[in-house]
Amino acid sequence: DGSFDEVILVSDPQLWYPNGDGEQPLYPVTCSILDGDRVLYTNTKHVGIRSFSYTHNEKEHDGALPYTFVVNGK
């Protein structure tokens, strides 16, 4: 299907937090498509680094989802 995976290690990243919970640092990531030494296309995007999971919500109220989202351990 033409897809591939690549791992990029970032040492001691500053984590991105939701609005009001902390800083929102962004890192530039540049991807290029090459044909040998020739650059066919290049693009840069700015991305935030964070952890994201969910946990069981023991104190849910009627109509609430049975889980809570957790960002960077909060």
Side-chain angles (χ1 to χ4, degrees):
D1 67 3
S3 65
F4 63 93
D5 292 327
E6 184 67 35
V7 175
I8 301 171
L9 298 176
V10 179
S11 299
D12 299 319
Q14 293 179 353
L15 298 180
W16 179 99
Y17 285 88
N19 189 21
D21 283 338
E23 297 297 316
Q24 297 173 326
L26 297 176
Y27 291 89
V29 176
T30 300
C31 295
S32 299
I33 298 174
L34 305 175
D35 181 11
D37 291 335
R38 196 171 116 218
V39 177
L40 301 177
Y41 177 80
T42 190
N43 194 356
T44 299
K45 298 286 184 181
H46 290 84
V47 300
I49 298 173
R50 53 136 173 88
S51 68
F52 183 81
S53 62
Y54 62 92
T55 187
H56 179 68
N57 186 355
E58 296 178 13
K59 297 181 180 180
E60 64 197 56
H61 57 83
D62 290 340
L65 296 173
Y67 53 86
T68 298
F69 292 105
V70 179
V71 178
N72 300 332
K74 292 184 174 183

